[in-house]
């Protein structure tokens, strides 16, 4: 059994490499080469435990991510997502690798958003708004810079001190990039071409009247039927793309809440980002459209990363 640590994941899973792996994962799922069931989650006293299994046909592997999500962990100086991906060989059913899942989750989530942004955002997108300032905000800034010529970044976060720390750190990392902390989410998204929502919030922080025509939104933070970051009116205004339709119908507050309110209908989902990548459904159709990617996070994304890292380490050890 090969063990791959958090540090090794961060070293080997570079953003450009992970973006390409995520295209493979999402198109493979759409084509039925990869299969997965919707994750099961179990509430814990102060967090939750998620179990996410999948099969990768082309890679002849299967596996599962087991991850704890503890939203208050940043107060303890710990990551909110911790766990492992266990990878198995298809032919024998033998477990072959255990890979740090917190690091994979951080990188692959942003890499998925990058692959989708490259597909759906206007090519001339320059202004990025980041709502949130945790691990996903760090990874998403790197991811957005990888796919668009970002010239300006505006940030909003709650609590403000968290946002101040983030802006200070990101200015050190990207000294030439203008990064500004804003007082409100509305100020941060004013005139933005791309918006990433990466907050641990339960109620909407982004509303229709705050968003300019032509914007692309990656809604990443909320992953349960009762939580969301994007308001019903904005979901209705936007063309809604999802990572997996079954997961969206089971887990997405961004979709289920406006559906229950009667503001959107079931056919409001345009389709999956994998289908758009394969050209099976249209992507952006005009510079004025608002496109919205509702990211829930999929086992296929995690296990593809785990296998790529396993293959590499196996080759190094030979
Ligand atoms: N879609 C996916 O695949 C995926 C993957 C990983 C994480 N997530 C979700 O993304 C979110 C961010 O994850 P992370 O790893 O960056 O977490 P983190 O703990 O590192 O950061 C959380 C961020 O949310 C902010 N926040 C906390 N409470 C808030 C509130 N009430 N209103 C607004 N902002 C608030 C914090 O200040 C911080 O900026 C989480 O909700 C997480 O579950 C989604």
């Amino acid at each position: 059994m090969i063990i791959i640590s958090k540090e090794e994941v961060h070293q080997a899973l570079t953003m450009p490499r992970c973006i390409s792996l995520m295209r493979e994962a999402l198109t493979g799922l759409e084509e039925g080469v990869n299969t997965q069931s919707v994750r099961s989650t179990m509430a814990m006293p102060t967090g939750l435990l998620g179990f996410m299994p999948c099969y990768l046909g082309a890679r002849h592997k299967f596996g599962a991510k087991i991850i704890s999500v503890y939203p208050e962990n940043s107060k303890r100086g710990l990551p909110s997502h911790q766990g492992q991906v266990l990878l198995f060989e298809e032919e024998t059913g033998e477990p072959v690798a255990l890979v740090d899942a917190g690091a994979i989750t951080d990188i692959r989530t942003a890499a998925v958003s990058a692959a989708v942004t490259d597909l759906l955002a206007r090519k001339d997108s320059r202004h990025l708004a980041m709502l949130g300032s945790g691990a996903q905000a760090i990874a998403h800034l790197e991811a957005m810079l990888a796919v668009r010529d970002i010239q300006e970044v505006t940030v909003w976060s709650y609590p403000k001190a968290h946002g101040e720390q983030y802006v200070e750190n990101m200015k050190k990392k990207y000294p030439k990039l203008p990064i500004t902390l804003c007082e409100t989410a509305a100020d941060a998204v004013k005139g933005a071409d791309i918006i990433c929502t990466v907050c641990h919030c339960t109620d909407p922080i982004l509303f229709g009247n705050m968003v300019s025509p032509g914007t692309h939104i990656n809604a990443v933070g909320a992953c349960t039927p009762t939580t969301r970051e994007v308001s019903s009116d904005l979901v209705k205004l936007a063309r809604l793309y999802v990572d997996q339709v079954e997961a969206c119908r089971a887990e997405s507050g961004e979709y289920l809440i406006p559906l229950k309110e009667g503001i959107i209908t079931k056919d409001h989902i345009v389709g999956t980002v994998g289908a758009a990548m394969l050209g099976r459904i249209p992507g952006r159709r005009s510079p004025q459209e608002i496109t919205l990617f509702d990211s829930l996070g999929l086992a296929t994304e995690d296990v593809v990363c785990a296998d790529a890292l396993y293959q590499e380490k196996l080759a190094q050890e030979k």
Side-chain angles (χ1 to χ4, degrees):
M1 162 90 72
I2 284 183
I3 311 263
I4 302 179
S5 69
K6 182 183 193 164
E7 291 69 29
E8 288 174 302
V9 175
H10 278 290
Q11 176 79 31
L13 195 59
T14 62
M15 190 55 70
R17 180 179 184 197
C18 195
I19 294 170
S20 143
L21 288 169
M22 293 305 94
R23 289 194 183 105
E24 175 201 318
L26 292 162
T27 54
L29 189 65
E30 182 61 29
E31 287 175 314
V33 179
N34 304 334
T35 52
Q36 63 168 67
S37 47
V38 171
R39 85 186 112 205
S40 65
T41 56
M42 189 175 163
M44 294 294 144
T46 50
L48 64 81
L49 181 68
F51 175 66
M52 302 166 66
C54 76
Y55 168 65
L56 306 178
R59 288 177 174 268
H60 302 289
K61 296 284 190 333
F62 59 92
K65 175 165 87 168
I66 304 185
I67 190 121
S68 68
V69 182
Y70 271 59
E72 300 299 321
N73 258 5
S74 65
K75 291 178 192 152
R76 302 183 176 107
L78 288 172
S80 54
H81 292 65
Q82 300 174 96
Q84 299 289 334
V85 179
L86 183 56
L87 184 72
F88 295 79
E89 194 65 66
E90 177 192 312
E91 198 182 330
T92 59
E94 182 193 359
V96 290
L98 194 62
V99 190
D100 185 275
I104 288 187
T105 304
D106 287 353
I107 302 163
R108 68 77 158 142
T109 307
V112 167
S113 293
V116 174
T117 300
D118 200 23
L119 182 79
L120 296 178
R122 294 184 343 264
K123 295 276 179 242
D124 63 353
S125 296
R126 299 282 180 271
H127 176 181
L128 167 68
M130 191 69 72
L131 305 186
S133 58
Q136 283 305 327
I138 296 168
H140 270 74
L141 180 49
E142 183 183 359
M144 295 303 110
L145 291 171
V147 293
R148 285 295 180 271
D149 182 17
I150 300 297
Q151 298 293 330
E152 179 186 5
V153 182
T154 43
V155 179
W156 170 82
S157 185
Y158 171 87
K160 193 178 174 189
H162 214 260
E164 285 169 346
Q165 189 63 58
Y166 172 80
V167 169
E168 196 183 315
N169 292 342
M170 293 305 101
K171 280 183 169 172
K172 280 185 200 142
K173 192 169 174 189
Y174 307 102
K176 289 188 182 147
L177 189 62
I179 309 177
T180 313
L181 184 65
C182 299
E183 286 296 326
T184 65
D187 289 343
V189 302
K190 200 171 179 186
D193 304 306
I194 299 169
I195 302 171
C196 298
T197 66
V198 283
C199 293
H200 265 314
C201 56
T202 49
D203 298 313
I205 48 168
L206 189 63
F207 297 83
N209 63 3
M210 290 160 57
V211 175
S212 310
T215 303
H216 172 69
I217 304 161
N218 297 307
V220 174
C223 306
T224 69
T226 55
T227 61
R228 58 183 175 156
E229 297 168 294
V230 178
S231 70
S232 298
D233 74 313
L234 180 50
V235 174
K236 186 178 169 66
L237 269 179
R239 281 171 60 76
L240 175 62
Y241 294 83
V242 300
D243 40 18
Q244 192 193 28
V245 174
E246 296 89 321
C248 178
R249 295 215 161 111
E251 297 184 323
S252 167
E254 251 97 26
Y255 167 74
L256 290 168
I257 296 170
L259 184 71
K260 199 172 167 195
E261 293 168 340
I263 291 171
I264 59 166
T265 56
K266 277 188 175 171
D267 58 11
H268 192 67
I269 300 172
V270 175
T272 67
V273 288
M277 284 170 188
L278 289 166
R280 292 181 177 175
I281 59 168
R284 169 174 291 280
R285 298 172 308 181
S286 82
Q288 280 79 40
E289 281 181 341
I290 295 173
T291 49
L292 168 61
F293 169 48
D294 186 31
S295 164
L296 289 167
L298 305 175
T300 307
E301 299 160 2
D302 299 302
V303 182
V304 163
C305 290
D307 187 47
L309 297 171
Y310 164 70
Q311 298 288 348
E312 187 176 73
K313 193 152 178 183
L314 197 64
Q316 284 165 2
E317 287 186 359
K318 272 183 185 163

